[in-house]
Amino acid sequence: MDDKFLKPYDPQATEPRIYQEWEESGYFNPDNLPDAEDREPFTIVMPPPNANGNLHAGHALFITLEDLFIRFRRMQGYRALWIPGADHAGFETQVVYEKKLEKEGRSRFSMDPKDLYAEILAFTLENKANMEQQVRALGASCDWSREKFTLDPDIVTEVKKTFVQMHEDGLVYRGKRTVNWCPKHQTSLSDIETDSVEESTPFYTFKYGPFDIGTVRPETKFGDKYVVMHPNDARYAKWNHGDMLEVEWINGPIQATVIKDEAVEMDFGTGVMTITPWHSQIDFEIAKRHGLDIEQIIDLRGKLLPIAGEFEGMKIADARTKIAEKLESKGLLVSVDPDYKNVVKRCYKCSTMIEPQVQDQWFVSMKPLAEQALQAVDRKEVRFFPEHEEKVFRHWLENTLDWNISRQIIWGINIPAWFRNRGTDTEEIKTSLEKPDGEGWVADTDTFDTWFSSGQWPLLVTGYPEGKDHAQHYPTDVMETGRDIIFFWVARMIMFGLYRTGSVPFHTVYLHGLVNDANNKKMSKSKGNVINPLDLTDKFGTDALRMGLVIGNTPGTDLALREDKIKGYKNFANKLWNIARYVLTETEGADLSAPLTAADEALRTELDALIKDVTSDLEAYRIYLAAEKIYHYAWHTFADVLIEESKVIFAGGDAAAKASRKALLLSLFADTLRVLHPFMPFVTEEIWKSVRTTDTLLMVEKWPSSAV
RNA sequence: GGGCGAUUAGCUCAGUUGGUUAGAGCAACCCGUUUACACCGGGUAGGCCGGGGGUUCGAGUCCUCCAUCGCCCACCA
């Protein structure tokens, strides 16, 4: 027996050494596996962590699960490939960096864009290196030789090609449309980058000529020269579409026009409203239907424009009550409901109120792409774990609107579009990777929504269209990621995968829930309850953390991360260590081929049955069950029953029984280690060194297949 | 407003898709230290499986209604 077993298991000293051995073995790269060419591929694309900070508990969970899937399949004999990556994370990283600038008393708006880009790039690359070390610490057996960064030149080129091709196919268009504008970050955002928040706000009813109109936003009302009602509303039958009338309004009399439109709800308020098409999606649609003028009232910083007269330059929040007061003083206020419940959109990063603005931007036409994705799910080409997430997925795809993909930020992939005579009647637009021929072309300064590029990640990292990996490893097998990014990412990957390659990017979607704090509350910096997974690996070992993340965690369900639970699995790692000490001490020089007694044969069969069970659990993604079963076997069957029984046998005089039991202990322990390896790779690999009869690493040992 | 999910032991959760006396970990309580391991062993206690109704030979599991909690989506000003 190795002397190392005389001391308790020391994960801190063991783990980095073991990881280095794995990495140096070359087996993370499936091309180096024995008989690589004969193996069936099994592929996972890692959700590339944002290279803008430390890994959080959610990363630890996905790394654990994906590493487990990969190690299991590698041992089963697949050409197991796990492709790691790092995400420049466009807007997210820019927000992180802007906070840093703010702390330093600087601002992106007073910087040269080139300098800003260079600074964020340096920041990102530094974090990327840090992040990669943390992924290693968690035991990830991913193929670092294939690692991709979302800003790698080949990735960027292919992303741009997708855009150009989609433009040619009419799936990308430039349009003057309502976008979600964040006045703080000075960029538009997609619909899913905003949060709808219910708030209590005064609901005003004003006199507008002969009508009473309701609004929660008096500050937008300056340009309201259209008054809209439902065509079937009997109360207003005497008014005809197009009727003109003069009404007294905020800054004096204006010419108003009656518009009849079915978008108006007859039983809401008075059934009459005025519209502000520049700052409301629904109003914009009405204006478009009837060819009405649209006029900007609020600038991009959230301040009133000259049209507001005496209110020019005021912030909308301050202007709101002032304008209501003025209307009241003019006798135009009918009533105020002080506690009206209204849903407003806020920036998902800074909670600033989104100001709808009409802008010329790039959009993806979602309907045709969503159709394709839904059909692929209908054909069962993608299955979901948990199953019910398929409903959530469908519901979103059936209702999603066109996707604004242009961002007015520097940190990202620039949109390969070119303008000539921009903003004039003779404006020309071209999309191409290179500047078009001819004079006067100016490049678009906008960048892509980061999900436009990460949505193509599986096809990009496998080297579409010509890469060898694309032929061999696409479509991939499992996409394991957070339930919270099913729309941001999973839906887009399926759409882009189908669009560009004709195939779904993966056949299985495994969605994990949130990792919460010990009280099952969402972790957040402001609450101060954030748990750093690397602290837990330092304290209890990576294997213990992995077990703690996996056991009792069903897909799609949130997990409470408790230290006492992880501590329990640290004890388990040590238990395995002590089992090894006993087994190795007692079986020194044992004859592995000694015939088994009938009783021992039954014990062998018992484990075979368990392995069969655990294997089918793993294949069906019942990870939580598989982990618990093998844990329970090792501790409460192997250690508590078998070893105790063995002590009696070894103390007795039956030589055949002794020989049988020695061979049995070794064989059962070896298989227990094999099955435990995907869950607890470090301690099992370390013990394996003393158990193995060849010099093979446990990570490439054959998964035990039983005769049962 | 629409959708999804949860409700099982003190706590955190399983219960593999209807089949014996409902399980695990942690916590609690009692006993045990000439040892593979106190990062331990042996044992005990603890559950009208949220509530009502239904289907069935049989329901924690299926259907229905209700209650509570959580999450997601949302262009009625």
Side-chain angles (χ1 to χ4, degrees), chain A residues 31 209 290 376 396 399 509 548 575 649 684 688:
Chain A
D31 300 339
H290 303 286
W396 186 76
N399 294 295
V509 177
K575 186 78 183 178
I649 293 171
T684 51
W688 185 252

Side-chain angles (χ1 to χ4, degrees), chain A residues 514-567:
Chain A
L514 254 44
V515 183
N516 291 327
D517 74 359
N519 300 314
N520 220 354
K521 294 280 178 272
K522 190 169 176 170
M523 293 187 202
S524 75
K525 278 180 194 158
S526 56
K527 271 189 275 183
N529 62 345
V530 175
I531 303 169
N532 178 351
L534 278 306
D535 291 346
L536 293 173
T537 66
D538 282 348
K539 206 164 165 187
F540 303 108
T542 300
D543 292 326
L545 174 64
R546 289 168 61 119
M547 284 296 265
L549 288 169
V550 153
I551 290 190
N553 186 12
T554 50
T557 309
D558 293 349
L559 174 77
L561 189 57
R562 303 194 326 275
E563 282 209 1
D564 61 347
K565 184 177 175 190
I566 296 163
K567 191 180 159 202

Side-chain angles (χ1 to χ4, degrees), chain A residues 281-298:
Chain A
Q281 167 95 28
I282 187 166
D283 294 0
F284 180 77
E285 298 297 330
I286 292 171
K288 230 169 54 178
R289 273 198 287 279
H290 303 286
L292 311 180
D293 296 340
I294 64 169
E295 200 165 0
Q296 188 173 6
I297 315 297
I298 297 161

Side-chain angles (χ1 to χ4, degrees), chain A residues 242 345 491 674:
Chain A
K345 281 187 175 185
R674 287 186 178 99

Side-chain angles (χ1 to χ4, degrees), chain A residues 79 98 103 170 351 457-458 592:
Chain A
R79 201 169 68 239
E98 278 180 34
K103 269 187 202 149
S351 292
W457 200 234
L592 285 173

Side-chain angles (χ1 to χ4, degrees), chain A residues 410-559:
Chain A
I410 188 80
W411 184 239
I413 299 175
N414 55 298
I415 297 179
W418 311 84
F419 301 97
R420 190 147 69 176
N421 304 322
R422 189 168 185 179
T424 69
D425 291 345
T426 56
E427 180 177 275
E428 292 174 84
I429 303 174
K430 279 195 174 169
T431 58
S432 64
L433 270 63
E434 302 300 327
K435 190 173 188 169
D437 293 337
E439 289 300 302
W441 289 103
V442 178
D444 195 344
T445 52
D446 284 357
T447 50
F448 284 116
D449 180 343
T450 196
W451 298 102
F452 183 84
S453 46
S454 33
Q456 302 172 53
W457 200 234
L459 67 96
L460 296 173
V461 299
T462 53
Y464 178 82
E466 264 138 34
K468 176 168 162 269
D469 282 346
H470 190 77
Q472 294 190 343
H473 289 280
Y474 186 100
T476 67
D477 290 275
V478 191
M479 172 47 61
E480 193 288 327
T481 190
R483 194 191 47 184
D484 51 332
I485 55 175
I486 183 169
F487 309 138
F488 280 104
W489 202 39
V490 177
R492 269 86 174 259
M493 281 191 287
I494 294 175
M495 294 190 307
F496 282 121
L498 286 164
Y499 171 67
R500 284 225 64 189
T501 75
S503 310
V504 293
F506 33 74
H507 296 300
T508 298
V509 177
Y510 183 105
L511 296 166
H512 62 254
L514 254 44
V515 183
N516 291 327
D517 74 359
N519 300 314
N520 220 354
K521 294 280 178 272
K522 190 169 176 170
M523 293 187 202
S524 75
K525 278 180 194 158
S526 56
K527 271 189 275 183
N529 62 345
V530 175
I531 303 169
N532 178 351
L534 278 306
D535 291 346
L536 293 173
T537 66
D538 282 348
K539 206 164 165 187
F540 303 108
T542 300
D543 292 326
L545 174 64
R546 289 168 61 119
M547 284 296 265
L549 288 169
V550 153
I551 290 190
N553 186 12
T554 50
T557 309
D558 293 349
L559 174 77

